[in-house]
């Protein structure tokens, strides 16, 4: 029997292993997190309106079919006007790289896929923080074993690298430096942080995604973080993507 393109009704826990809970609870299923940034080719904008509408509908059908509560979640964001090299972001959270691969392949197999370039794409995984973070919001409530995105209008995403000397510091010294960094973050409660890890599975070491309804708070937060002692151990923290949360329909309509 031929394999269907639809995701299976039941999915196993991540084959990459679950982290034991540090608080005596059940193991935490680690999530696969992907940010795919697409650029639409200008040739697509010159197609007849009814043909573009059919392309959008096929893309949305695949997108919606893969969204399964608690197992596979994707969100769409527009970067039209905020980046010159991308137009659309698809943020996906699931438990299997294989399923992520299949979902993205099905999106690109739709008619609009032939008109999409992918100038940026970031892959990461959730992991418990090594540092004590006294913040009871959704991004920290499970020790970063799981994230629950999408409750805010704006998303700011960037890949992140530490310098090699950072990893040679003692854990005590790293925790000391992180305390100031965390304290600054906690002073902006309207900005939600999602930190994911990419060691060995993508070029960057981390992917950080900030959600907020107040872009001015994020700007002030980043400026203050530049002034912390730990910032000297930042190797690279760009490109930065400013994204506007939209439904798939609205995000595609802003392409043309």
């Amino acid at each position: 029997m031929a394999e269907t393109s639809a995701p299976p009704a039941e999915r196993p826990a991540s084959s990459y292993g679950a982290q034991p809970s540090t608080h005596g609870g059940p193991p935490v299923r680690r999530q696969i997190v992907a940010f795919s940034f697409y650029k639409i080719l200008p040739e697509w904008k010159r197609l007849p309106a009814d043909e573009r509408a059919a392309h959008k509908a096929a893309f949305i059908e695949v997108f919606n079919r893969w969204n399964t509560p608690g197992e596979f979640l994707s969100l769409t964001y527009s970067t039209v006007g905020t980046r010159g090299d991308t137009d659309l972001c698809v943020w996906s959270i699931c438990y299997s790289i294989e399923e992520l691969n299949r979902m993205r392949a099905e999106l690109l197999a739709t008619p609009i896929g032939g008109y999409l370039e992918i100038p940026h794409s970031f892959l990461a995984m959730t992991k418990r923080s090594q540092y004590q973070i006294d913040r009871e919001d959704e991004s920290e409530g499970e020790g970063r074993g799981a994230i629950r995105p999408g409750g805010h209008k704006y998303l700011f995403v960037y890949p992140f690298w530490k310098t090699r000397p950072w990893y040679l510091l003692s854990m005590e010294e790293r925790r000391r430096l992180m305390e100031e960094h965390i304290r600054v973050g906690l002073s902006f409660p309207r900005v939600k942080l999602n930190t994911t890890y990419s060691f060995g599975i993508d070029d960057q070491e981390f992917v950080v995604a900030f959600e907020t309804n107040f872009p001015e708070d994020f700007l002030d937060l980043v400026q203050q973080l530049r002034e912390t002692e730990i910032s000297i151990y930042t190797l690279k923290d760009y490109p930065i993507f400013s994204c506007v949360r939209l439904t798939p329909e609205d995000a595609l309509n802003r392409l043309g």
Side-chain angles (χ1 to χ4, degrees), residues 180-204:
E180 181 187 17
H181 183 87
I182 294 168
R183 186 166 60 251
V184 171
L186 294 177
S187 67
F188 291 87
R190 299 192 299 185
V191 179
K192 176 185 173 183
L193 168 63
N194 300 287
T195 301
T196 51
Y197 299 74
S198 299
F199 293 97
I201 62 174
D202 206 344
D203 294 344
Q204 68 282 340

Side-chain angles (χ1 to χ4, degrees), residues 42-56 115 256:
E43 291 83 357
W44 183 80
K45 296 176 180 287
R46 294 191 281 270
L47 295 176
D50 59 345
E51 189 172 350
R52 283 185 280 122
H55 289 187
K56 295 174 190 177
Y115 297 91

